[in-house]
Amino acid sequence: MVSDTQRRVIYVNPAFEALTGYAAAEVVGRACGFLQGPDTCPEAQQDMRRATDAGRPFRGELLNYRKDGTAFWNEVAVLPVFDVSGTLVQFVATQRDVTARHAAKHKLLLAARVFEEGSEGVIITDASQRIIKVNPAFTEISGYSEAEVLGHRPSILSSGRHDPSFYRQMWHAVDTCGQWQGEIWNRRKDGSVYPLRLALRRIVGNDGQTTHYVASFSDLTPRKAAEESIWRLANYDATTGLPNRALLRDRASRVLEQSRLDGAPTALMYLDLDQFKKVNDSLGHRIGDRLLVEVANRFRTALREQDTLSRVGGDEFVMLLPGAGVRDAARVARQLLELASRPFQIDAHELTITPSIGVAIFPFDGGDYDALCTSADVAMYRVKDTGRNDFCFFTADMQAQCTRALLLDNLLRRAVERGELALHYQPQCALRDGSIAGVEALLRWNSRELGAVPPQEFIPIAEGSGLIIPIGEWVLASALAQMRRWLDAGTAPPVVAVNVSAVQFRQAGFPDRVHRLLEEYGVPPGRLELELTESVSTDDPAAAMAVMEALHRHGVRLSIDDFGTGYSSLSYLKQFKVGKLKIDRSFVAHINENPADQAIVGAIIRLANGLGISTIAEGVETPAQMVVLRELGCHEVQGYWIARPFAAEDLPAYVEAHAASQLVLRPAPRDHARLRVRRRRLRTVPSATG
Ligand code: C2E
Ligand code: CA
Ligand code: CA
């Protein structure tokens, strides 16, 4: 390109046209900077400008643009042309596309930077494996400076952990395949040994001969340490150092596989420390943790090398005993109970704990780890239910119960929407005058598949699965809806009593929910009584009290169901807002024959009287029971003798019949005895006379 002193193009040659895509006619007369574009380096432009302004030649590389917009690296040489008088008359600029060279140079620069600044150590040797170059990372990792290793073989770095045949194989691979990769151990200048990931490459010249070897490596020490600590964290319990659930599962799958091959049994035990939570709550987690460590240490002594003792939860341990059948497992379980029975001394505290142990044997009680765990867990809960501090094997009977429970749970999920649930009502009568004091709503499930399922069977399952929440809500709503209908018909009993599960009671916002339902059905709160069990307050009496307070504020009545069977704290009873105690039917059943039961019932009634709480006896099946209850001062009775639970629509009929037979509640003991004798005579006379 030739341009004038104003830098206007005078001429371009065909090579320029070919290079840039511009035709001569298009560019002649234009300012000569038209090849420049957005990414052309401004400094290079300035340099060129400065040189040409001063009448000096310029040479440089610029990013320029063709007519079609594509960029290329242009090696530009500008020569100023002077006339004979020394005046600048023209510039002649030659242009050459050096994009390819530029890229290559760039790549080299990049490689050099990686070599110099990268974190991977690099060693370059000549064909005879003498070191000719190392990078700073090499020095940092190995501790050797470049001067110290130049001319040496890389073997000065070896750790001595690999035998000569290892290196022979490594070099053989490099020479035959061109490269080798792997993890090896090397030794630092300070003598310490470290793991590294090494990539070895053979470089060949144009003639196919080896010219160099290049080794690049990274120090694996930090990663190995991290891997190890991650592995420990993921597989061991931090408190006791025992394998955790993850590692247990891992080992179990291997042990069971082996068991399957050998045809040998394997025992899996679930062990739960009874009421360990109390230690934590009363003495703090620090003491609790130390107790766990001590317990773990003792348990370990009962196990063999090949057994696994793992901690899978707060106070839950699982033992895996490969090769152990029923007899071995029983022996170990007995030993664990014995080990736990001696008190633990933690600081000034002498602590005693009792374990509950459930045992399942592979392959009989479960075909895989999960099934085995479930079985052992079920067996453990059986121990808990029947008094703790013992062990128990999983049995076929438990198996059947589990299967049934699973079935019930599944069917129960659809029971509400399928309309299989119903409420029956059982009257509660005042002993004073025989009047109806209220009715208790009792849930009935008539399953399409199973027929009638007793609440004693399905309610605990619903409590376990949480299903009791929607079901309980349904019960409450249905009972209130029924009360509304009775009120509208003018046949309402004074109160409807609804059973509330502890699970439901503890649910956040329960009092508000009750309140909302009362409003929804327009039932005065005093018409509703909630029957709670003592278990609502076992875990957190303060919280239970707050809920009772709230319900009481809403005007709802409260009673304590099955009183005497749970662990009521009498001091709490005073503060609970309950209006009524329901004396459990187990005391009522033998009240006539068993003086102890009579004493208990009497004590409950006196206690309640003292606290201004009324009493009702449930499960009254005979007039004789009623008589004793009246003598003891009980206020109300409920039971088959008065009436069995019936459907809501039968209430009016009952009320009518009841009014007529109110005398039933009245007779004195002797009258009653006579009544019964007379009945019997009536029955026997005809047969005696033929
Ligand atoms: P519960 O609250 O103690 O209810 C009294 C149970 O005793 C009822 O059994 C009732 O039919 C039965 N019963 C009444 N009179 C007599 C009698 O004279 N003799 C005998 N042997 N039994 C009598 P049901 O209806 O089978 O209920 C059993 C348990 O199921 C109830 O015991 C209660 O704990 C629970 N339950 C029933 N309905 C509900 C409910 O809607 N919600 C909740 N959470 N639990 C319920
Ligand atoms: Ca009840
Ligand atoms: Ca009861």
Side-chain angles (χ1 to χ4, degrees):
M1 174 201 281
V2 180
S3 54
D4 63 16
T5 52
Q6 302 305 303
R7 296 190 176 79
R8 287 191 191 283
V9 177
I10 300 170
Y11 167 80
V12 295
N13 71 351
F16 179 94
E17 291 175 318
L19 170 62
T20 65
Y22 289 104
E26 282 177 284
V27 297
V28 168
R30 277 180 76 173
C32 65
F34 61 87
L35 291 177
Q36 289 161 14
D39 283 335
T40 309
C41 170
E43 283 88 32
Q45 291 178 45
Q46 268 173 21
D47 283 355
M48 179 157 69
R49 181 106 205 171
R50 233 176 273 128
T52 49
D53 279 353
R56 282 188 276 111
F58 168 84
R59 180 182 284 273
E61 281 177 16
L62 286 93
L63 190 68
N64 278 171
Y65 293 84
R66 297 188 185 88
K67 187 183 175 189
D68 64 7
T70 56
F72 67 102
W73 282 96
N74 193 357
E75 186 188 65
V76 185
V78 187
L79 278 176
V81 180
F82 302 92
D83 65 8
V84 284
S85 65
T87 315
L88 178 66
V89 288
Q90 283 177 346
F91 294 104
V92 176
T94 57
Q95 342 250 340
R96 187 146 52 115
D97 182 352
V98 292
T99 307
R101 195 183 76 198
H102 197 89
K105 195 172 88 187
H106 226 76
K107 228 159 104 180
L108 266 177
L109 271 173
L110 204 65
R113 280 189 73 164
V114 170
F115 182 82
E116 287 300 324
E117 297 167 23
S119 60
E120 292 224 326
V122 179
I123 305 170
I124 302 172
T125 76
D126 61 14
S128 58
Q129 294 175 15
R130 302 272 172 196
I131 296 174
I132 57 168
K133 185 126 193 76
V134 295
N135 71 343
F138 163 86
T139 301
E140 191 158 314
I141 297 170
S142 71
Y144 288 104
S145 70
E146 183 166 36
E148 286 170 314
V149 294
L150 283 187
H152 289 278
R153 287 174 186 277
S155 57
I156 62 160
L157 305 170
S158 58
S159 63
R161 286 212 181 168
H162 309 281
D163 54 20
S165 71
F166 174 85
Y167 293 107
R168 265 202 303 281
Q169 275 170 22
M170 181 173 94
W171 285 109
H172 181 72
V174 175
D175 283 331
T176 51
C177 317
Q179 61 167 356
W180 180 91
Q181 283 193 41
E183 288 183 12
I184 70 164
W185 295 90
N186 269 3
R187 189 181 296 279
R188 295 193 178 87
K189 189 182 171 189
D190 66 10
S192 60
V193 168
Y194 64 105
L196 53 110
R197 166 137 206 103
L198 176 68
L200 258 182
R201 236 168 239 100
R202 183 166 64 104
I203 311 292
V204 289
N206 291 336
D207 56 358
Q209 291 297 307
T210 302
T211 60
H212 300 90
Y213 293 100
V214 176
S216 59
F217 60 94
S218 50
D219 186 355
L220 293 181
T221 314
R223 204 176 80 202
K224 278 256 192 292
E227 274 171 10
E228 175 134 344
S229 80
I230 288 168
W231 188 80
R232 281 205 77 78
L233 273 176
N235 287 286
Y236 286 87
D237 163 45
T239 306
T240 58
L242 294 177
N244 65 10
R245 202 183 274 282
L247 186 55
L248 171 71
R249 171 181 287 279
D250 201 51
R251 289 199 189 161
S253 65
R254 256 175 283 156
V255 165
L256 295 184
E257 196 46 56
Q258 192 58 43
S259 228
R260 200 168 284 139
L261 291 175
D262 301 346
T266 284
L268 187 130
M269 292 189 191
Y270 251 74
L271 185 153
D272 189 288
L273 301 179
D274 303 326
Q275 294 172 359
F276 174 77
K277 192 174 172 297
K278 286 200 177 145
V279 175
N280 261 346
D281 289 349
S282 55
L283 301 175
H285 284 269
R286 208 180 55 86
I287 299 286
D289 282 355
R290 287 183 47 202
L291 177 60
L292 285 174
V293 173
E294 294 294 315
V295 168
N297 287 342
R298 269 196 210 174
F299 285 169
R300 241 188 286 250
T301 64
L303 303 181
R304 305 160 303 172
E305 177 95 45
Q306 66 268 41
D307 299 336
T308 296
L309 167 62
S310 79
R311 179 170 174 231
V312 297
D315 52 0
E316 277 182 20
F317 296 86
V318 173
M319 274 138 285
L320 184 70
L321 314 175
V326 171
R327 198 166 335 151
D328 298 320
R331 186 177 42 73
V332 174
R334 249 180 249 118
Q335 217 174 331
L336 293 171
L337 290 170
E338 147 70 22
L339 283 168
S341 69
R342 280 180 284 121
F344 291 84
Q345 190 73 40
I346 312 279
D347 291 347
H349 310 284
E350 193 178 273
L351 303 174
T352 48
I353 49 143
T354 57
S356 294
I357 307 174
V359 191
I361 309 281
F362 175 85
F364 315 106
D365 302 333
D368 59 29
Y369 170 69
D370 288 315
L372 216 52
C373 279
T374 308
S375 298
D377 199 33
V378 166
M380 184 195 77
Y381 272 101
R382 177 60 60 91
V383 177
K384 287 229 180 255
D385 287 345
T386 55
R388 308 187 149 113
N389 194 20
D390 202 351
F391 71 95
C392 173
F393 281 94
F394 183 74
T395 63
D397 153 52
M398 288 180 209
Q399 172 92 57
Q401 278 181 25
C402 282
T403 316
R404 168 103 176 150
L406 216 64
L407 177 68
L408 289 185
D409 184 67
N410 276 327
L411 293 176
L412 199 52
R413 272 168 208 282
R414 294 194 300 268
V416 174
E417 61 197 60
R418 284 165 135 199
E420 295 176 349
L421 298 182
L423 289 182
H424 278 193
Y425 296 89
Q426 187 177 35
Q428 305 177 326
C429 291
L431 266 172
R432 185 169 33 85
D433 58 3
S435 61
I436 298 179
V439 291
E440 179 180 2
L442 292 160
L443 185 55
R444 297 291 173 258
W445 177 22
N446 199 359
S447 157
R448 203 182 294 172
E449 287 84 359
L450 305 171
V453 183
Q456 255 114 334
E457 190 179 5
F458 71 81
I459 284 181
I461 292 169
E463 286 178 326
S465 68
L467 259 185
I468 194 68
I469 306 278
I471 289 179
E473 185 112 3
W474 180 89
V475 168
L476 205 52
S478 305
L480 290 175
Q482 184 57 53
M483 183 47 119
R484 186 66 256 164
R485 280 194 290 275
W486 280 328
L487 284 169
D488 292 342
T491 55
V495 173
V496 62
V498 173
N499 292 285
V500 173
S501 149
V503 179
Q504 206 183 341
F505 178 84
R506 285 194 212 108
Q507 225 214 345
F510 176 66
D512 291 337
R513 206 154 306 174
V514 173
H515 181 66
R516 238 179 296 132
L517 284 170
L518 282 166
E519 294 206 316
E520 188 179 334
Y521 291 99
V523 172
R527 293 270 180 172
L528 175 67
E529 180 168 278
L530 299 180
E531 295 195 1
L532 312 173
T533 54
E534 291 160 285
S535 62
V536 297
S537 68
T538 35
D539 277 353
D540 192 347
M545 231 171 318
V547 178
M548 289 189 203
E549 277 281 349
L551 289 167
H552 183 72
R553 265 202 311 278
H554 289 317
V556 174
R557 299 159 180 256
L558 301 174
S559 68
I560 295 201
D561 205 352
D562 307 335
F563 188 80
T565 57
Y567 297 91
S568 265
S569 159
L570 297 182
S571 68
Y572 283 128
L573 196 56
K574 188 177 62 181
Q575 302 167 52
F576 286 166
K577 299 288 183 193
V578 294
K580 203 193 267 186
L581 296 186
K582 294 194 77 174
I583 302 165
D584 189 66
R585 63 172 172 276
S586 60
F587 301 116
V588 175
H590 307 290
I591 199 165
N592 294 96
E593 315 92 72
N594 190 334
D597 282 351
Q598 209 176 100
I600 290 170
V601 172
I604 293 175
I605 292 170
R606 279 193 301 282
L607 169 76
N609 282 343
L611 293 170
I613 298 174
S614 101
T615 46
I616 178 169
E618 59 176 18
V620 176
E621 295 182 344
T622 67
Q625 288 168 342
M626 212 160 59
V627 166
V628 175
L629 288 164
R630 184 188 297 143
E631 276 173 0
L632 291 174
C634 188
H635 299 106
E636 294 172 12
V637 284
Q638 176 183 356
Y640 292 168
W641 173 256
I642 295 92
R644 291 195 173 245
F646 46 67
E649 55 268 27
D650 295 338
L651 183 72
Y654 171 78
V655 171
E656 215 167 287
H658 178 72
S661 68
Q662 262 192 18
L663 280 176
V664 173
L665 290 164
R666 293 237 175 90
R670 239 166 286 117
D671 299 345
H672 232 293
R674 221 180 292 144
L675 204 82
R676 211 191 302 158
V677 172
R678 209 179 301 144
R679 269 197 204 151
R680 205 174 286 148
R681 262 197 217 125
L682 279 175
R683 234 178 280 135
T684 49
V685 170
S687 61
T689 53

